[in-house]
Amino acid sequence: DWSSDVCSSDLPSGKGIVTISSTGGSGTVGGITGYYLNAYDTTTQSAANSTTAYVINIGNIASASGMTITNGNAVSFTNAGVYQLNLSLQLVNTDNAQHNANIWLRQNGVDVAYSNSNETIQARISAGIPSGVVATVPYIVNANAGDTVQFVWQTDGPGATGVQILT
């Protein structure tokens, strides 16, 4: 149960572009090597139900050094280090009721305790005009070479009307 390990609050909604980036640059400066990844996804991501956690897809890499995307949804680290990851996505709500979305981090297949962020998305503005919120969630990750992280979400407003991550 994700709620006992990850968060103590409610669930998600959404439309948007998923962008993941890590700070740093390629090369060595003063003996310190920086690695980075700027990646995004262009698909609409919906939840089929409110009891399932969904891994956020990451389908495209804009630029990278020392990091990559595996299986279309996992950030993979080539080098050990401490990384700052910034997840930004647009959540939309097409329903007449307010909904919540939880977003958290999973490292090497294990949900990271206390990494949850809860976003509230207000009810749609009118028929055909959803409401939305841009969620930006920073994470600090201590990674070994070969480690992976995934971004996970769950919503209390699933389906064709409700919360989605859109592009």
Side-chain angles (χ1 to χ4, degrees), residues 77-91:
F77 302 92
T78 305
N79 303 282
V82 176
Y83 294 83
Q84 178 180 345
L85 303 178
N86 298 300
L87 172 67
S88 177
L89 49 89
Q90 185 178 356
L91 301 167

Side-chain angles (χ1 to χ4, degrees), residues 1-7 52-55 103-116 139 148-154:
D1 178 12
W2 67 270
S3 61
S4 63
D5 294 330
V6 179
C7 79
T52 302
Y54 297 90
V55 175
I103 304 158
W104 67 94
L105 190 66
R106 184 175 286 164
Q107 187 168 5
N108 296 323
V110 178
D111 291 341
V112 176
Y114 308 110
S115 66
N116 185 68
Y139 296 102
T148 61
V149 296
Q150 295 170 301
F151 301 96
V152 185
W153 76 297
Q154 187 172 17

Side-chain angles (χ1 to χ4, degrees), residues 16-18 40-45 57-60 165-167:
I17 294 176
V18 177
Y40 61 96
D41 195 85
T42 59
T43 61
T44 298
Q45 300 181 45
N57 294 323
I58 310 165
N60 302 284
I165 300 172
L166 300 179
T167 57

Side-chain angles (χ1 to χ4, degrees), residues 9 20 22 36 44 50 58 65-66 121 141 144 154 159 164 166:
S9 57
I20 299 155
S22 173
Y36 64 92
T44 298
S50 62
I58 310 165
S65 175
I121 302 91
V141 175
N144 293 311
Q154 187 172 17
Q164 298 175 319
L166 300 179

